[in-house]
Amino acid sequence: MRSDVLLGNHGLVVGEILEVLDSVQASKSPQMVVIEGPSGCGKTRIVQEFYGRLKDRNQDAYWPPLRKSQGNDVMRQRKLIGPLQEDLLWPEETFPTFGWWHFNCETLGTGILEDVVAAARPQVDANGLPLTMARRKNEGLLAKGKRQSKAAWSELTEAARDEGVSAAVDVLAENGIEVLFPESLLSFGIKGLRAGNRRRKERAQFKNETDTAEIVSKNQATAGKDLAKAIADLALDSLPAIVVVEDLHRMGNELSALLDSLLASNAPVLVIATNWPDAVSNNIQSAFISNHKDSLVPIECPQLGHSDLTQLVQESFDVSLHIAEETARRLDNPLVLKLWLESSELADSYDFIGPEALLTDHAGLPIDALGVLDARWGELDRETQMALCLATAARPDEAVPLCDVEKEILAEAFAQFSPGSEVDVAAGLDKAISPMHWCASPEFTVRFIDVVFADHARYHSEKRLRGNASRKFQTITRGILADSISQPAPQSSPRLPNQRDLALARRSHLAVWFLELDAELKDQAATPGLEYARSRAELQLSELTGGRMEFAASSEHAAAALKHLRAAGITGTELLNMQLAVADKYILVSKPRSAQAIHEEILQHENLPSEIAMQIHLSSARIARDEGDFEEAAGHQRQAIELARTIAGPEADKPGMELQRLTSLYLRLEQYLAAGGNWEEIITELSPVLDKRLQVGYPTNELNNGQLKRLIENARRKIDESKGIKVSAEEEQRAMLDAAISLHGSDSERVHAERNKLASVLGKAKKWTEAAEEYEWVISHWHQSRYAAYGESKATAYRSLAQVQEALGQKEAAIESYRRAISLSTKNNVETGFWPRIAIPRLMAGMGQVDDALTQLDQIVEEFETPEGDTWLSLSALEARTEILQKEKRFEEAEAGWRRALTGWSLILGDLSDRAADCRKNLIEVLETQGKFDAAIELLQNYIELEEKEYGKETTPSINAKIKIGNAYAQSDRPADALPWFQEARAGIVAIRGSDHPAVARMGNGIRVIEARLKQH
């Protein structure tokens, strides 16, 4: 009986992929083939056949067969896209002729752990050395040793099989064979690759060789890129790398990062992916396909027809055409048909009665696929069936494609569910892994691979655990998970980063599992234990999403954690720490009012430590400032100062750090008072501070003393101005400069500092020419001063000069100054290293060099974006690019840019953040310019929903949005639709401003105009 036949036009597809591989080798550049089609149509079988034909074409003796002609389990073959580890035996005197790397998206999990790296590491460990030697051999760089004999080969391959890479490297060294490993392979880390033979010459090139436990753990994006470089570095035109991805529609961020890097390399790499477009489970795959659409080769998997399935029957059993056709008609799904053809029951019946067995009831020919699955289920023993039923009951959410369970928790739950039972659940799951290949067991969980069979196990679970039995088991499992989650996180050694990653993954996995079960039970049980577990689970997910820079989601999980912690009745330090964390996250996502509410709760704690209370008041002061309430900001700052004085004690009146800290707090208080125009209070607050500093010995020209003196003088000047006595800021600064020259000489540090401030004052007064002269003096005399140690750097001075030159219309000079600022700064310095890089293309666009400007900004966006999405810096560059497009009236491109920027800022800072609001405003303007009023209206309606959900129905932003919707309807000649929005906006203004507010009258006039238009219609 044969089951490995290739049916229909699948063979043509294999030939097409081989041609693409030839192109990859000839061009020495990467390419990707995507085989598309529904489940069971033969996509994976095409990949398996490609592997076999490539082996035969290259006469490759290194790679083992994927399939054998007889005795195979269909389910084992269903997702088999690479050789099993136990089959990689490295035959003597053989080298691989191609690299083969394989990843199954369905078994890569949720992305909590470095799943791609975890899947790749055993492949690197097994094949890294043979591929390295093959590459060096093809390059002519594999030096022959003293005795490269058959015996040496035997010793080498035996060492690699039995003891690992380290032992094999030692054998090479003992035989005088030098192998220079690619640096990227060492960076990724081959298991056990260490200095086993300390005499070998490669030791110096290995740099930091470590034991497995000491390999540095990297984040997802970096690990994916390291792996991609290792794969690419092992490839040659004569040794191509082939990367196979099963179920691309389930891909995660890390795999996307890996493929992005591979397709951007200059190496002969062929990526082959199977994909079911209709089953896409996230937007990661869609974004990946969109980004690489020009370089992908899509291939539609040919559907197998009735004749193909008939052929499959005849290839499997020696039967007539009539019997084969009838069998194919009854079971017209290739996967289900193959499952049935390989069932032991059919084989026994065929041996007993011959070909008629395929049609008789005795053979158990099923009416549909369910019969095949039932037969498959029947081959499992009772213990395995029970284990699988319990596993699916414990993970009831059908939206979860992988039913992840932890064996020990499942076994404990069953022991409580059925005390005294002899069924060994853990053993049942272990038995399900191998013989039936229903599940796999990476790390600490058991995962069902095939969705079809997970669903079928769920079907039997519902039959077996009828009534309240399933709910009882879920309740028990939830309780065990709650106990586990509520335990303090175990401390792991800092020398074992991989163990820390595994512990984080396990805690996150348990949190997701617990919350899923809790939602399924829907009992809202409010026991303190369950509420505490909910809090811990939400906190775990907050940390997880925060680590991924998904700050909006992180703040939502943190808020839920706080709510459940309060419900659990927890007080004291744990509640305080949770409140602090939630407040910080609210600030991060631009929800200041929510943060302030938490701050007020924190201040009610008894025995609140003064340090924490001081930080709360400082944070509250910043929130009040951002909200424009400078009086409240000053009040919080004063309370922070009093707390700081209490903390400092006697040290507050002595020279040292405590007095300096108090001074900085007073300087921040001055900002709030100045914003509110409270000049007399500034003099009252700062004068005693300056007197104290002078009294304890700080010199008059000391930096903080000079700043205090200037602020006091500025306040007095403002008071004089209010009385009609005007002294300009320029006159005051020139007086400070003259005083510095008379006291310290014309070229002293003090003069340098005062000229720099004078340049700033002149710039604010829009005296651009004089400001430029002062900045040029500051820069030209920089070598004579140590001022850089105290204030602005030379790079900052160049940036300031560039801004002045830009105001003077000296665009070329401004560009040169910006470039000098960049050359003196590090790339990570936002003020002098990043913003000038954004300013240059803006100037270039204004000079007509639009395409060059857009290219530069594209490069900056690409440089700072990550596989997980955009960052603060990439979004800032994207905004600059989109502004240019909008000015150039390239509205469709501008629309795409603002949409991406809005999505990015909403994810990082929240939907209601200022940056998101700016992008939304620009996007609406672009949409309306194009006449896309409906799209603009939809955007505004979504915003109103978010605003009112967060802050209530009547807020100024939501009212303004309603007015904009009314205007959009009016501009698109739909006055009937515009009228209710204007009416609702007027009602909102009355509610928050009063009926006598001028805006109410203006809205009334507008409404009357709309009503008049309606009467005309």
Side-chain angles (χ1 to χ4, degrees):
M1 182 176 71
R2 294 184 56 201
S3 65
D4 63 339
V5 293
L6 200 64
L7 303 172
N9 292 322
H10 287 182
L12 298 178
V13 175
V14 175
E16 188 175 346
I17 301 174
L18 284 169
E19 291 178 3
V20 176
L21 176 61
D22 293 339
S23 172
V24 166
Q25 291 182 256
S27 64
K28 301 180 184 179
S29 59
Q31 204 160 351
M32 182 170 180
V33 171
V34 181
I35 308 170
E36 298 186 332
S39 178
C41 70
K43 302 185 296 294
T44 305
R45 181 67 188 90
I46 290 172
V47 174
Q48 294 167 347
E49 182 68 17
F50 170 79
Y51 176 91
R53 286 198 197 176
L54 183 59
K55 262 179 56 67
D56 294 343
R57 188 178 81 168
N58 292 6
Q59 297 182 338
D60 190 295
Y62 172 81
W63 294 104
L66 284 188
R67 299 172 59 88
K68 300 177 183 178
S69 59
Q70 294 185 8
N72 280 303
D73 185 315
V74 174
M75 284 309 299
R76 278 195 168 282
Q77 299 299 340
R78 176 157 157 71
K79 298 293 184 181
L80 187 62
I81 54 174
L84 302 175
Q85 291 299 115
E86 59 265 27
D87 292 339
L88 291 168
L89 302 178
W90 196 358
E92 295 175 8
E93 300 185 70
T94 65
F95 287 113
T97 60
F98 57 89
W100 189 272
W101 311 90
H102 51 96
F103 305 93
N104 188 330
C105 291
E106 199 168 38
T107 59
L108 291 182
T110 60
I112 292 172
L113 197 57
E114 294 173 355
D115 297 305
V116 171
V117 175
R121 198 170 294 284
Q123 301 179 54
V124 175
D125 292 342
N127 304 314
L129 176 59
L131 284 168
T132 299
M133 293 183 67
R135 175 179 174 120
R136 298 310 181 207
K137 175 177 178 293
N138 290 3
E139 292 174 320
L141 300 177
L142 187 62
K144 291 189 175 181
K146 295 176 289 187
R147 51 186 186 90
Q148 195 170 335
S149 61
K150 185 175 180 66
W153 266 108
S154 178
E155 185 181 359
L156 171 65
T157 55
E158 182 178 349
R161 286 194 301 266
D162 298 341
E163 301 178 55
V165 179
S166 177
V169 172
D170 288 346
V171 170
L172 289 172
E174 290 166 2
N175 286 275
I177 302 173
E178 297 184 4
V179 180
L180 181 61
F181 287 85
E183 185 64 33
S184 58
L185 196 65
L186 300 176
S187 176
F188 182 74
I190 300 180
K191 182 179 179 181
L193 191 58
R194 57 186 184 276
N197 184 337
R198 299 191 180 276
R199 295 173 297 168
R200 70 177 185 266
K201 297 179 181 179
E202 292 91 355
R203 186 178 187 281
Q205 296 160 334
F206 280 18
K207 295 184 178 178
N208 297 317
E209 296 174 306
T210 62
D211 198 273
T212 305
E214 296 171 333
I215 294 173
V216 177
S217 174
K218 301 178 177 69
N219 62 38
Q220 291 187 358
T222 303
K225 289 179 180 178
D226 286 351
L227 173 58
K229 192 168 190 322
I231 292 173
D233 285 349
L234 288 172
L236 285 174
D237 55 341
S238 56
L239 186 71
I242 297 158
V243 179
V244 180
V245 178
E246 178 78 0
D247 292 336
L248 187 73
H249 51 277
R250 298 185 184 277
M251 76 185 305
N253 282 322
E254 190 181 358
L255 183 62
S256 177
L258 171 70
L259 298 184
D260 284 339
S261 298
L262 284 173
L263 294 176
S265 69
N266 295 315
V269 178
L270 173 61
V271 180
I272 305 173
T274 66
N275 185 41
W276 185 2
D278 294 339
V280 173
S281 59
N282 56 55
N283 59 4
I284 299 172
Q285 185 259 19
S286 303
F288 175 82
I289 293 291
S290 177
N291 291 339
H292 297 284
K293 60 184 177 183
D294 295 333
S295 59
L296 299 185
V297 179
I299 298 178
E300 190 73 27
C301 183
Q303 297 296 309
L304 297 180
H306 181 73
S307 60
D308 299 319
L309 299 182
T310 299
Q311 180 186 347
L312 174 60
V313 177
Q314 290 188 301
E315 292 283 355
S316 302
F317 289 97
D318 185 13
V319 297
S320 68
L321 178 61
H322 167 71
I323 292 176
E325 286 181 337
E326 179 62 18
T327 303
R329 185 187 65 79
R330 294 277 293 275
L331 293 174
D332 60 358
N333 179 281
L335 171 63
V336 174
L337 179 58
K338 291 178 73 175
L339 282 172
W340 184 69
L341 289 173
E342 294 199 352
S343 66
S344 58
E345 183 180 4
L346 177 60
D348 292 343
S349 181
Y350 182 86
D351 291 340
F352 184 67
I353 63 174
E356 293 297 324
L358 275 68
L359 294 181
T360 63
D361 292 337
H362 177 73
L365 178 62
I367 297 175
D368 55 22
L370 184 60
V372 175
L373 300 179
D374 273 332
R376 195 73 170 180
W377 178 267
E379 294 180 29
L380 299 173
D381 61 32
R382 177 173 173 270
E383 196 167 59
T384 305
Q385 289 181 355
M386 176 58 77
L388 292 175
C389 284
L390 294 172
T392 50
R395 295 304 301 264
D397 187 353
E398 295 183 9
V400 179
L402 305 175
C403 299
D404 296 9
V405 296
E406 189 167 333
K407 288 190 296 184
E408 288 72 17
I409 286 179
L410 203 67
E412 183 180 349
F414 182 68
Q416 295 183 27
F417 177 74
S418 182
S421 174
E422 296 180 358
V423 175
D424 188 337
V425 172
L429 287 174
D430 287 336
K431 284 189 289 185
I433 292 168
S434 180
M436 304 307 296
H437 207 58
W438 282 45
C439 31
S441 183
E443 303 298 346
F444 50 84
T445 68
V446 173
R447 294 174 175 169
F448 297 111
I449 283 183
D450 201 286
V451 176
V452 173
F453 284 92
D455 289 344
H456 197 65
R458 196 181 308 281
Y459 161 76
H460 279 279
S461 174
E462 292 170 354
K463 287 177 59 179
R464 185 166 297 192
L465 299 174
R466 289 190 297 269
N468 292 325
S470 177
R471 186 176 182 82
K472 176 184 175 184
F473 182 74
Q474 291 171 357
T475 302
I476 292 171
T477 305
R478 179 180 66 175
I480 295 170
L481 287 168
D483 291 340
S484 179
I485 291 169
S486 299
Q487 299 300 316
Q491 297 296 317
S492 58
S493 168
R495 288 173 57 82
L496 302 175
N498 289 335
Q499 286 192 10
R500 290 202 305 273
D501 286 346
L502 188 59
L504 172 63
R506 180 176 183 273
R507 293 197 304 273
S508 300
H509 165 256
L510 294 181
V512 172
W513 186 3
F514 169 77
L515 292 174
E516 174 198 319
L517 261 183
D518 196 43
E520 176 70 19
L521 289 167
K522 299 178 182 177
D523 57 3
Q524 301 298 316
T527 64
L530 276 178
E531 290 289 9
Y532 185 71
R534 289 168 184 143
S535 174
R536 298 291 299 178
E538 293 285 3
L539 179 62
Q540 183 62 44
L541 296 186
S542 176
E543 293 175 359
L544 176 68
T545 50
R548 294 173 176 169
M549 298 186 72
E550 297 171 6
F551 299 126
S554 179
S555 68
E556 291 175 4
H557 285 299
L562 178 57
K563 181 188 75 172
H564 290 301
L565 194 67
R566 288 173 177 147
I570 302 298
T571 58
T573 302
E574 188 167 1
L575 177 61
L576 175 61
N577 290 336
M578 183 75 78
Q579 289 171 316
L580 291 168
V582 173
D584 287 344
K585 291 181 185 297
Y586 276 144
I587 292 172
L588 191 61
V589 296
S590 301
K591 292 185 177 180
R593 282 171 264 182
S594 300
Q596 187 57 38
I598 300 292
H599 284 167
E600 291 171 2
E601 292 178 8
I602 292 173
L603 293 174
Q604 300 303 314
H605 277 263
E606 294 184 7
N607 303 317
L608 183 67
S610 297
E611 280 283 359
I612 293 177
M614 181 185 73
Q615 294 302 324
I616 291 298
H617 281 297
L618 291 174
S619 182
S620 296
R622 289 191 293 271
I623 291 172
R625 175 204 62 191
D626 293 341
E627 292 285 289
D629 191 340
F630 301 109
E631 184 177 350
E632 183 178 348
H636 282 294
Q637 191 71 14
R638 285 191 175 99
Q639 292 185 68
I641 289 171
E642 290 304 313
L643 287 163
R645 191 177 297 279
T646 300
I647 294 167
E651 298 299 316
D653 296 324
K654 300 177 183 177
M657 291 184 60
E658 295 299 336
L659 182 52
Q660 294 286 46
R661 180 164 78 155
L662 274 170
T663 302
S664 67
L665 294 178
Y666 274 106
L667 291 173
R668 178 61 59 86
L669 173 62
E670 185 276 339
Q671 295 177 14
Y672 303 150
L673 293 173
N678 298 312
W679 307 113
E680 292 183 355
E681 291 185 43
I682 290 175
I683 296 172
T684 301
E685 295 284 359
L686 298 192
S687 295
V689 179
L690 177 60
D691 293 342
K692 173 60 69 176
R693 292 177 63 85
L694 294 172
Q695 179 184 340
V696 299
Y698 283 109
T700 303
N701 61 352
E702 188 265 346
L703 186 64
N704 280 330
N705 285 355
Q707 189 171 1
L708 287 167
K709 183 178 179 181
R710 281 193 301 277
L711 293 174
I712 293 170
E713 291 299 325
N714 179 64
R716 288 176 177 152
R717 180 173 57 82
K718 292 292 184 182
I719 293 172
D720 288 341
E721 287 179 2
S722 67
K723 297 177 181 179
I725 306 171
K726 294 187 176 180
V727 179
S728 70
E730 178 187 347
E731 290 174 322
E732 181 181 358
Q733 187 56 43
R734 289 193 183 278
M736 296 288 288
L737 175 59
D738 292 340
I741 292 173
S742 64
L743 286 172
H744 306 288
S746 62
D747 201 19
S748 65
E749 286 182 23
R750 194 70 255 166
V751 170
H752 191 284
E754 297 302 337
R755 278 191 178 275
N756 199 56
K757 292 169 187 170
L758 176 59
S760 177
V761 168
L762 291 168
K764 291 177 182 177
K766 298 184 179 181
K767 295 185 177 181
W768 308 119
T769 302
E770 295 174 66
E773 291 174 356
E774 293 298 333
Y775 278 126
E776 287 168 352
W777 187 95
V778 168
I779 291 170
S780 65
H781 289 73
W782 200 272
H783 64 283
Q784 300 176 10
S785 172
R786 297 192 304 276
Y787 175 67
Y790 296 100
E792 294 182 31
S793 67
K794 191 173 184 179
T796 303
Y798 266 117
R799 182 194 174 195
S800 299
L801 174 60
Q803 291 171 328
V804 171
Q805 290 167 330
E806 192 173 342
L808 287 168
Q810 301 171 358
K811 295 181 179 179
E812 292 183 358
I815 289 174
E816 180 59 28
S817 296
Y818 278 131
R819 285 174 176 158
R820 287 182 177 273
I822 294 169
S823 68
L824 293 169
S825 179
T826 61
K827 182 175 69 172
N828 294 329
N829 187 313
V830 175
E831 295 299 323
T832 56
F834 177 75
W835 290 121
R837 292 180 64 190
I838 300 295
I840 289 173
R842 278 179 168 150
L843 287 169
M844 292 171 60
M847 297 165 64
Q849 303 171 28
V850 175
D851 290 339
D852 290 340
L854 292 175
T855 299
Q856 286 192 25
L857 288 168
D858 280 336
Q859 292 171 350
I860 298 173
V861 171
E862 184 177 349
E863 178 182 346
F864 289 102
E865 67 182 350
T866 69
E868 288 74 31
D870 281 305
T871 64
W872 293 64
L873 300 183
S874 70
L875 287 172
S876 298
L878 176 64
E879 286 178 327
R881 181 184 186 279
T882 309
E883 286 170 3
I884 293 173
L885 291 169
Q886 189 170 347
K887 288 178 182 177
E888 292 297 311
K889 299 184 179 180
R890 292 161 62 171
F891 296 121
E892 288 190 5
E893 295 173 82
E895 178 186 341
W898 288 127
R899 286 192 184 279
R900 175 178 169 184
L902 175 58
T903 300
W905 288 123
S906 296
L907 182 62
I908 294 174
L909 296 177
D911 294 296
L912 301 178
S913 62
D914 291 340
R915 298 298 290 266
D918 290 341
C919 292
R920 189 180 293 107
K921 175 183 175 183
N922 288 318
L923 176 56
I924 291 169
E925 181 179 332
V926 168
L927 290 170
E928 290 180 343
T929 303
Q930 298 177 86
K932 297 180 178 180
F933 293 106
D934 287 340
I937 289 167
E938 181 182 1
L939 197 65
L940 286 164
Q941 288 174 330
N942 291 338
Y943 168 72
I944 291 171
E945 183 178 348
L946 292 168
E947 173 73 18
E948 294 185 344
K949 180 180 178 181
E950 182 68 27
Y951 297 121
K953 191 169 181 62
E954 306 299 351
T955 66
T956 299
S958 68
I959 291 170
N960 290 336
K962 291 170 185 175
I963 294 172
K964 290 178 181 177
I965 291 176
N967 287 332
Y969 276 128
Q971 290 178 58
S972 57
D973 198 25
R974 288 181 280 180
D977 294 322
L979 183 59
W981 289 101
F982 286 138
Q983 290 171 334
E984 191 172 343
R986 181 177 61 178
I989 296 172
V990 171
I992 64 174
R993 302 286 186 183
S995 58
D996 57 345
H997 194 275
V1000 176
R1002 289 196 298 269
M1003 286 301 303
N1005 292 334
I1007 289 171
R1008 282 190 287 275
V1009 171
I1010 295 294
E1011 290 173 338
R1013 287 178 59 185
L1014 286 173
K1015 289 179 181 179
Q1016 292 174 0
H1017 285 287

